[in-house]
Amino acid sequence: MAHIEQWIDFASLEIDVNLARWLYPRLGYGVLRKLILPSLKRALGALNTYLASNTYLVGHSVTLADIVMGCNLFYGFSKIMTNNFTSEFPHVERYFWTIVNQPNFKKVLGEVKQAESVPPVLSAKKPAQAKESAKSKEPAKPKVEAKKEQPKKDAPKKVEENLQEEEAPKPKAKNPLDLLPPSKMILDDWKRLYSNTKTNFHEVAIKGFWDMYDPEGYSLWFCDYKYNDENTVSFVTLNKVGGFLQRMDLCRKYAFGTEIPPFVLEECYDMELYEWKKADISDEAQKELVNAMIEDQEPFEGEALLDAKCFK
């Protein structure tokens, strides 16, 4: 319980406060202070270090600490923290998408999308000036035309320009897979066939997969967790698999189901915990294993399935 309280305080005093000081001036409230980003990055860095070896903040499942932290991070990710900013904190990214994709979170938050740009700073809202209660009885004085020296605004402008430069998004590096020639296999066509086939799955979906499959444009891979002796608690194992799939979201454009080339997963920090082996589809036994995975065939390799997850 003490650890939960500790993380709630951290989420409120380090994450939420700094996010609010960065976001609110962009909504027209308050003044943007230049030292906010270093403070926020320091807090996210500490959280990132902790999450490098922890799926959740306390224990092996969602607690009140994760609910508070997830809600605080939600406003940052959805309103102001772009992918260029959060990519410095990969474990925080993994944690956030793990939390907001929990069923109970999705019921409240719906489909969460990350901010694509940093909103501009707005002027702070000022109350309207009070009207004069009565007109002055003094005689009107003649107007004297004179040029008044305008106040210097260079200093505040430079501060704002520096902030904009600091927050300017870096150009995204192109994925090398985008430079490859297009494949005749259209993944979306296969996804629709897979999702919409309710009967005769083997005859329709499995056959359709091999009819569409382009071995020159795609490859199939098996991955096995290296430390299966650790997988003794069912919900911990399921959380581990679910988190791994969420961290692979960058592969969604290029991969489906078990067909995930390892070099796409460079940003998935736990990829090295898996043994990767390229499938040889000329081997009928390996081809049948691919079929069994796509079909969630049970028993699988002689064992009952605990669960089957499909990445699409």
Side-chain angles (χ1 to χ4, degrees):
M1 188 62 186
H3 286 165
I4 292 176
E5 292 284 354
Q6 175 188 359
W7 280 112
I8 290 175
D9 287 344
F10 181 87
S12 303
L13 301 176
E14 299 293 338
I15 301 296
D16 188 45
V17 168
N18 286 309
L19 275 174
R21 288 173 178 168
W22 189 23
L23 176 62
Y24 285 0
R26 301 172 186 281
L27 302 178
Y29 301 99
V31 178
L32 185 64
R33 302 182 185 278
K34 194 172 181 181
L35 295 178
I36 292 306
L37 283 183
S39 299
L40 178 59
K41 286 185 175 183
R42 185 170 60 251
L44 290 173
L47 180 61
N48 191 69
T49 300
Y50 178 80
L51 291 173
S53 56
N54 294 276
T55 302
Y56 300 104
L57 295 178
V58 182
H60 299 293
S61 59
V62 174
T63 64
L64 181 58
D66 299 297
I67 295 172
V68 174
M69 183 70 78
C71 290
N72 288 347
L73 288 172
F74 165 71
Y75 286 101
F77 271 82
S78 62
K79 301 294 185 185
I80 195 168
M81 293 198 300
T82 64
N83 181 256
N84 285 325
F85 181 85
T86 59
S87 60
E88 294 183 36
F89 315 101
H91 306 305
V92 175
E93 286 185 322
R94 180 265 306 166
Y95 169 79
F96 175 73
W97 294 114
T98 297
I99 294 298
V100 297
N101 281 293
Q102 299 291 322
N104 288 331
F105 270 83
K106 294 192 79 168
K107 285 180 185 177
V108 177
L109 301 178
E111 199 68 32
V112 178
K113 293 184 178 180
Q114 188 162 5
E116 296 181 356
S117 60
V118 178
V121 177
L122 301 178
S123 299
K125 296 180 179 178
K126 298 178 181 178
Q129 291 183 352
K131 294 182 180 180
E132 294 182 2
S133 57
K135 292 183 179 180
S136 173
K137 295 182 180 179
E138 294 181 6
K141 295 180 180 179
K143 293 183 179 178
V144 178
E145 294 292 334
K147 290 185 179 180
K148 293 185 178 180
E149 191 176 351
Q150 295 293 328
K152 292 184 179 181
K153 295 184 179 179
D154 289 346
K157 187 176 180 182
K158 285 180 181 177
V159 171
E160 180 59 28
E161 285 174 355
N162 291 338
L163 279 170
Q164 295 296 341
E165 287 175 8
E166 185 178 355
E167 299 158 13
K170 300 174 184 177
K172 287 186 179 180
K174 279 202 170 185
N175 191 310
L177 294 179
D178 289 329
L179 305 177
L180 294 174
S183 169
K184 65 181 181 180
M185 181 180 184
I186 310 301
L187 281 183
D188 283 342
D189 291 347
W190 155 239
K191 291 180 183 183
R192 279 191 291 271
L193 179 65
Y194 175 91
S195 299
N196 296 332
T197 302
K198 306 302 180 186
T199 58
N200 299 323
F201 190 89
H202 194 89
E203 293 77 8
V204 178
I206 299 296
K207 182 180 181 303
F209 173 77
W210 293 113
D211 289 343
M212 297 180 190
Y213 180 62
D214 172 22
E216 294 182 359
Y218 289 92
S219 57
L220 304 177
W221 295 78
F222 301 117
C223 73
D224 292 297
Y225 192 65
K226 294 179 181 178
Y227 311 103
N228 279 318
D229 55 328
E230 297 176 354
N231 296 328
T232 57
V233 182
S234 298
F235 78 88
V236 175
T237 302
L238 292 177
N239 285 340
K240 193 181 298 180
V241 175
F244 181 68
L245 290 179
Q246 288 165 4
R247 288 189 288 282
M248 293 195 305
D249 197 65
L250 74 161
C251 311
R252 192 177 300 278
K253 181 180 176 182
Y254 314 98
F256 176 69
T258 56
E259 307 83 64
I260 304 168
F263 53 84
V264 185
L265 307 181
E266 292 177 357
E267 294 186 27
C268 189
Y269 73 89
D270 51 355
M271 188 193 75
E272 61 185 22
L273 302 180
Y274 294 82
E275 198 75 57
W276 294 86
K277 178 185 175 183
K278 187 175 181 179
D280 179 7
I281 60 174
S282 64
D283 182 338
E284 284 300 319
Q286 293 191 39
K287 189 172 180 179
E288 281 304 314
L289 185 58
V290 173
N291 293 344
M293 288 181 171
I294 295 175
E295 197 172 359
D296 298 341
Q297 194 177 91
E298 194 171 13
F300 183 78
E301 296 184 322
E303 299 287 340
L305 284 175
L306 176 62
D307 192 10
K309 294 184 181 293
C310 177
F311 179 74
K312 61 178 180 178

